């Protein structure tokens, strides 16, 4: 079952199917996380089809972020040390965001308020772009 969720929660799911769900991360920057529905620990635990779908989803999100936000750089990460299950972070980074060029988990570089387009429109774009996985 697919759902486009409300944004009144700190984090929420903007897309879901039987294999994956995409959750927002409350942050200064556009930041989505792609999770597997099953709690796989490592990427190598996914079968080839799931791994291919995961990277297709990440690629779609990256392209939508680039087109919509025109960031300086896209960061993609998978650490899973604190939450030991497969999930991929996709973040739009800007030269004047608070942490750039450091990672979002690194040392803050400045205080700056970004002016970005409406995130709800972005979430709807991502949702529409992922309909092939519905």
């Amino acid at each position: 079952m697919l759902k486009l969720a409300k944004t009144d929660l700190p984090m929420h799911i903007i897309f879901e199917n039987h294999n994956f769900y995409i959750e927002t991360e409350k942050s200064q920057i556009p930041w989505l996380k792609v999770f597997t529905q099953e709690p796989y620990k490592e990427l190598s635990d996914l079968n080839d089809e799931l791994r291919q779908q995961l990277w297709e989803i990440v690629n779609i999100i990256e392209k939508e972020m680039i087109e919509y936000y025109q960031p300086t750089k896209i960061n993609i990460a998978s650490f899973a040390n604190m939450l030991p299950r497969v999930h991929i972070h996709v973040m739009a980074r800007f030269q004047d965001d608070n942490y750039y060029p450091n990672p979002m988990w690194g040392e803050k570089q400045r205080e700056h308020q970004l002016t970005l387009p409406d995130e709800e429109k972005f979430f709807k774009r991502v949702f529409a772009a992922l309909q092939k996985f519905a």
Side-chain angles (χ1 to χ4, degrees), residues 20-38:
F20 302 98
Y21 65 94
I22 299 171
E23 184 178 270
T24 65
E25 177 73 25
K26 202 66 169 166
S27 177
Q28 175 192 36
I29 62 167
W31 184 340
L32 296 178
K33 298 179 290 187
V34 183
F35 287 85
T36 56
Q37 291 283 8
E38 295 296 321

Side-chain angles (χ1 to χ4, degrees), residues 61-114:
I61 292 169
E62 178 185 63
K63 286 180 178 183
E64 290 295 330
M65 278 185 175
I66 289 169
E67 186 174 321
Y68 190 73
Y69 290 109
Q70 300 179 346
T72 304
K73 182 72 176 89
I74 297 293
N75 289 176
I76 297 173
S78 176
F79 300 109
N81 296 331
M82 299 295 288
L83 177 62
R85 68 176 292 166
V86 170
H87 65 285
I88 308 292
H89 298 257
V90 185
M91 299 163 271
R93 300 300 307 278
F94 301 89
Q95 193 163 6
D96 54 353
D97 74 46
N98 288 345
Y99 291 85
Y100 194 87
N102 289 347
M104 292 302 291
W105 297 276
E107 185 179 336
K108 194 178 226 182
Q109 299 298 297
R110 68 193 64 76
E111 283 292 335
H112 180 76
Q113 185 66 35
L114 294 176

Side-chain angles (χ1 to χ4, degrees), residues 39-51:
Y40 299 105
K41 184 176 179 185
E42 304 295 346
L43 285 168
S44 59
D45 294 337
L46 278 68
N47 65 39
D48 290 343
E49 181 181 345
L50 278 180
R51 198 168 35 258

